[in-house]
Amino acid sequence: MVGAGFAGVGCVRRLERRLGPNEADLTLVTPFSYQLYLPLLPQVASGVLTPQSIALSLRRSRKYRTRIIPGGAIGVDLKAKVCVIRTITDEIVNEPYDYIVLAPGSVTRTFDIPGLTDHAFGMKTLAEAAYIRDHVISQLDLADASQDPAERASRLQFVVVGGGYAGTETAACLQRLTHSAVRRYPRLDPRLIKWHLIDIAPKLMPELGDKLGRSAQEVLRRRGIEISLGVSIEKAGPEEVTFTDGRVVPTRTLIWTAGVVASPLIATLGAETVRGRLAVNAEMNLPGHDGVFALGDAAAVPDTAKGQEGAVCPPTAQHAMRQGRKVADNVIATLRGAPMEPYVHKDLGLVVDLGGKDAVSKPLGVELHGLPAQVVARGYHWSALRTNVAKTRVLTNWVLNAVAGDDFVRTGFQARKPAKLKDFEYTDSYLTPEQVREQVQRTSSGTP
Ligand SMILES: Cc1cc2nc3c(=O)[nH]c(=O)nc-3n(C[C@H](O)[C@H](O)[C@H](O)COP(=O)(O)OP(=O)(O)OC[C@H]3O[C@@H](n4cnc5c(N)ncnc54)[C@H](O)[C@@H]3O)c2cc1C
């Protein structure tokens, strides 16, 4: 099993429960010892939740018996049936397999925009969310201390690119953070704080439909977030960002959430892909390779519930966790010589938490906004958290934050050297398909 996200953990837990101890040895390759509940990441960045509350332990489970290899898979040789792993101590090891389930998720999609990977932050990992929180608070601290009006203005402007749910939630939650924090900085003029949310698309969160999308936009505009649609980034520098409409915004904070692409691991297989995601059938099996399965953000799983030729499931947690359970059933069926079943799930809709009492959601097609939407959004995420400990931590954090607010503490754990997009997702660790073959051959022939 590669990857311990929604898909990977959903699969592994089911295999642990349904397979007898003598039926299979289970191995999980994962760089971290937790499953990250990604949809609540903006709430970590804004300080509503502590980082630990959305990092769910992989070892807290009654039936836990999987061997965990701490590291990342950097290549798969489908012919030799070997997964090449870089451990967290940077050793390269080959792990042979009989069955492999690939669920390494996705990485932030970037474009060839000058300065982007050097100057933008992403919102995909726990480290990034914690880092961004410290960074945003440090901008308030530094602006407060500065005697230079130009520096102060640039430290108090923030740019988020990406009007999907991840970017919109990030902008909304972080704007609440600075809006509340500025009260503790009496020397700062709150009117200098400006959040920009931009997207090349003509609408925010088109999947919500026109009415709810507009409603989210109104909430954000009312809160002072400047929304620019049909606009992207021309170039990014350390102290300013140039928009494609010619505007130059002085800022030290560029958050890039403009979509995701499948993990670079998928390209190492040399197999067919659909826009970078591994092309699998409805049983999530790689055609021509019995025993190889892929799912979640990394795979193009046919969306059979849509009944449309060529439709694939969107990259959401909602699909990934359900696919995980179905893949487990299909692995077990293959092991026992039974027929596999296709994955079918009708989308339940979307919930978008804009912070405080603001939210929009569309559960089962019912459009909600304001407090009812917020109750549905938080209720959905809370019930989807896998362990009771995580549920308790998250609920306690929500209550504490609602009652006592935030102390806006900058922890200073982050390095002095700025860490940006390119530093968090390890996208340059992977091998090419040729390097994978060489690595596997070298080891099997005993060459060091
Ligand atoms: C800010 C944000 C908000 C979101 N909000 C929502 C929402 O409200 N609703 C919703 O349905 N979806 C939401 N999503 C999308 C959702 O989180 C993803 O679709 C979902 O996490 C995909 O599950 P996955 O298991 O495929 O990947 P992930 O959950 O990302 O898990 C992949 C795992 O694989 C590990 N990994 C990566 N590379 C390797 C490797 N080479 N070897 C081994 N392990 C590896 C990673 O560390 C990770 O643990 C949101 C995403 C973001 C970023």
Side-chain angles (χ1 to χ4, degrees):
M1 177 86 231
V2 175
F6 284 93
V9 172
C11 177
V12 138
R13 288 290 171 263
R14 183 96 144 202
L15 290 174
E16 284 174 337
R17 272 198 310 274
R18 301 215 166 159
L19 280 176
N22 299 325
E23 255 180 306
D25 292 325
L26 303 173
T27 301
L28 172 63
V29 183
T30 169
F32 308 112
S33 63
Y34 58 80
Q35 181 208 339
L36 182 61
Y37 194 91
L38 272 155
L40 293 177
L41 213 48
Q43 297 196 26
V44 168
S46 63
V48 174
L49 298 174
T50 56
Q52 288 79 0
S53 54
I54 63 161
L56 284 73
S57 165
L58 295 179
R59 295 178 196 270
R60 188 187 276 274
S61 159
R62 250 179 292 141
K63 298 262 174 169
Y64 165 68
R65 65 180 163 108
T66 299
R67 169 180 161 237
I68 296 180
I69 302 182
I74 54 170
V76 177
D77 186 332
L78 292 173
K79 229 164 138 200
K81 293 195 166 190
V82 171
C83 177
V84 182
I85 298 161
R86 190 190 298 275
T87 67
I88 54 170
T89 49
D90 242 350
E91 276 164 77
I92 307 235
V93 292
N94 291 355
E95 187 70 22
Y97 64 82
D98 297 315
Y99 294 82
I100 190 164
V101 178
L102 299 167
S106 52
V107 294
T108 305
R109 178 176 55 160
T110 54
F111 299 96
D112 205 8
I113 297 172
L116 181 68
T117 49
D118 288 326
H119 300 295
F121 300 106
M123 181 56 80
K124 267 300 259 166
T125 66
L126 197 54
E128 277 172 318
Y131 190 93
I132 288 176
R133 172 173 167 77
D134 251 29
H135 169 84
V136 168
I137 297 173
S138 74
Q139 296 313 297
L140 297 179
D141 287 345
L142 291 163
D144 186 51
S146 175
Q147 307 282 20
D148 174 3
E151 181 192 346
R152 196 177 296 164
S154 80
R155 291 206 182 275
L156 296 179
Q157 292 214 59
F158 305 89
V159 178
V160 179
V161 185
Y165 49 76
T168 306
E169 284 188 333
T170 300
C173 291
L174 285 171
Q175 184 272 341
R176 266 185 72 84
L177 163 73
T178 54
H179 176 77
S180 313
V182 76
R183 289 184 218 131
R184 310 264 176 103
Y185 297 83
R187 284 162 30 90
L188 287 183
D189 178 355
R191 285 168 306 179
L192 286 178
I193 299 181
K194 195 171 221 175
W195 281 87
H196 297 263
L197 174 60
I198 72 169
D199 199 305
I200 195 71
K203 288 180 196 167
L204 283 189
M205 302 179 288
E207 58 276 49
L208 274 179
D210 278 353
K211 209 166 126 217
L212 275 191
R214 263 201 315 275
S215 164
Q217 216 162 305
E218 271 162 35
V219 169
L220 299 185
R221 287 219 161 104
R222 216 181 321 121
R223 282 170 34 185
I225 299 178
E226 191 167 317
I227 300 168
S228 307
L229 298 170
V231 174
S232 185
I233 295 286
E234 183 82 46
K235 61 178 185 208
E239 293 180 16
E240 62 179 34
V241 167
T242 308
F243 290 179
T244 48
D245 62 5
R247 275 179 290 165
V248 179
V249 176
T251 180
R252 322 266 175 135
T253 313
L254 169 62
I255 303 175
W256 180 265
T257 59
V260 294
V261 285
S263 159
L265 179 66
I266 296 307
T268 73
L269 274 71
E272 198 196 325
T273 56
V274 179
R275 284 201 233 118
R277 300 169 85 185
L278 192 63
V280 291
N281 56 26
E283 288 76 23
M284 290 169 281
N285 180 224
L286 181 64
H289 295 274
D290 292 346
V292 179
F293 297 84
L295 66 162
D297 284 11
V301 178
D303 194 345
T304 43
K306 260 207 176 125
Q308 253 174 41
E309 179 94 10
V312 298
C313 298
T316 62
Q318 192 186 134
H319 280 289
M321 58 201 212
R322 288 172 174 82
Q323 288 169 359
R325 296 195 288 265
K326 181 55 83 181
V327 159
D329 291 345
N330 284 345
V331 169
I332 296 167
T334 318
L335 257 171
R336 295 177 183 165
M340 295 191 287
E341 284 178 10
Y343 170 73
V344 189
H345 169 66
K346 198 162 175 321
D347 214 278
L348 298 175
L350 194 62
V351 294
V352 183
D353 189 331
L354 301 173
K357 292 189 191 109
D358 294 329
V360 283
S361 57
K362 201 174 172 184
L364 305 166
V366 183
E367 299 192 343
L368 299 171
H369 53 88
L371 197 57
Q374 183 60 286
V375 171
V376 170
R378 292 211 171 170
Y380 175 79
H381 288 313
W382 187 80
S383 60
L385 287 163
R386 201 172 32 81
T387 66
N388 289 334
V389 168
K391 283 189 165 84
T392 311
R393 282 208 185 99
V394 165
L395 192 62
T396 312
N397 275 211
W398 278 339
V399 172
L400 195 61
N401 189 267
V403 174
D406 190 346
D407 271 341
F408 314 109
V409 169
R410 178 167 52 86
T411 61
F413 293 149
Q414 279 70 15
R416 290 180 79 96
K417 181 180 150 288
K420 297 290 164 65
L421 239 173
K422 64 183 174 59
D423 303 308
F424 284 109
E425 296 189 32
Y426 309 103
T427 41
D428 48 9
S429 311
Y430 294 84
L431 303 177
T432 62
E434 295 70 39
Q435 287 170 324
V436 174
R437 273 196 297 278
E438 275 168 30
Q439 160 68 20
V440 171
Q441 273 161 14
R442 206 172 32 236
T443 326
S444 57
S445 66
T447 320

